[in-house]
Amino acid sequence: MKFFVDTADVNEIRDLAETGLLDGVTTNPSLVAKSGKDFIPLIREICGIVPGTVSAEVAATDYETMIQEGRYLATLAKNVAVKVPLTPAGLKVCKALSSGGTMVNVTLCFSSAQAILAAKAGATFVSPFVGRLDDIGEDGMGLIKEICEIYRAQNMKTEVLVASVRHPRHVVEGAKLGAQVATVPPAILRQLFAHPLTDKGLAQFVADWQKTGQKILPAEVQPLKTRA
Ligand code: E4P
């Protein structure tokens, strides 16, 4: 499963990219507004940090402006995926851009019927928002399950990108169901590493190792420089 981070915060992206486990980034207009930065230089900067796919969302809702915005966003870097909303005009833009070889992420997907349309429009990714469905008492992961089944049955190539992730179980369940990608807020991505028994076990190993008085590295090995 690929991990994208769902943020427009460059410091967070830089930090998480250093783990070597980050496959891409998703942004949206709300995240860009929160960053307080100018959108176009921001996307260029993010694309320079992460070699994987970076989703940049159009701002317009009409076909004519969306297609122009999408074509422009695609020129910013090779790893841009143009993000379009799951509307008739958005899917028309998706079809036009994907036919020309541009990666497209169809966002704001809330039903399997919408996901079928996104795949037919040639989307590289479809983004079902599981957390927002859970928030209104619906079954976000149930939607992921159904879309994965449909795409498998129909041999549809669009990747299922689990979006609006609220906790690590959304990621784990998505992986079990065969979703190819999860886009995860930075704090939840960090939670994926954590388990109290890992911390407890490591503290015990460190304490027991110190009792041996041994060192693994011979004296002549110089320490690596640490980050400032
Ligand atoms: C997906 O690409 C969206 O940016 C995101 O996952 C939305 O999540 P939210 O419901 O937490 O805003």
Side-chain angles (χ1 to χ4, degrees), residues 6-7 26-28 30-31 55 57 83 105 107-108 127-129 131-132 135 161-166 183-185:
D6 198 25
T7 186
T26 51
T27 65
N28 65 39
S30 308
L31 293 170
S55 289
E57 189 159 342
K83 214 172 175 190
N105 177 357
T107 190
L108 292 168
S127 294
F129 278 34
R132 292 193 195 186
D135 290 346
L161 194 168
V162 182
S164 186
V165 162
R166 298 277 193 263
T183 189
V184 188

Side-chain angles (χ1 to χ4, degrees), residues 49-168:
I49 300 170
V50 182
T53 312
V54 175
S55 289
E57 189 159 342
V58 297
T61 54
D62 65 289
Y63 172 77
E64 289 75 13
T65 319
M66 258 196 282
I67 186 88
Q68 284 186 308
E69 290 179 348
R71 284 186 182 135
Y72 179 65
L73 290 173
T75 66
L76 297 180
K78 280 196 167 51
N79 50 337
V80 164
V82 176
K83 214 172 175 190
V84 299
L86 210 155
T87 60
L91 291 184
K92 197 172 158 190
V93 172
C94 175
K95 180 91 184 161
L97 292 178
S98 60
S99 306
T102 295
M103 290 188 287
V104 182
N105 177 357
V106 176
T107 190
L108 292 168
C109 173
F110 292 96
S111 78
S112 296
Q114 289 180 320
I116 293 169
L117 294 176
K120 280 185 72 69
T124 315
F125 306 101
V126 67
S127 294
F129 278 34
V130 296
R132 292 193 195 186
L133 281 171
D134 291 353
D135 290 346
I136 61 162
E138 292 195 23
D139 180 9
M141 294 318 300
L143 175 61
I144 298 294
K145 183 170 189 284
E146 191 168 64
I147 295 171
C148 287
E149 282 169 5
I150 293 167
Y151 281 7
R152 267 195 297 270
Q154 296 291 327
N155 198 22
M156 287 169 155
K157 303 294 177 214
T158 299
E159 295 191 7
V160 179
L161 194 168
V162 182
S164 186
V165 162
R166 298 277 193 263
H167 47 71

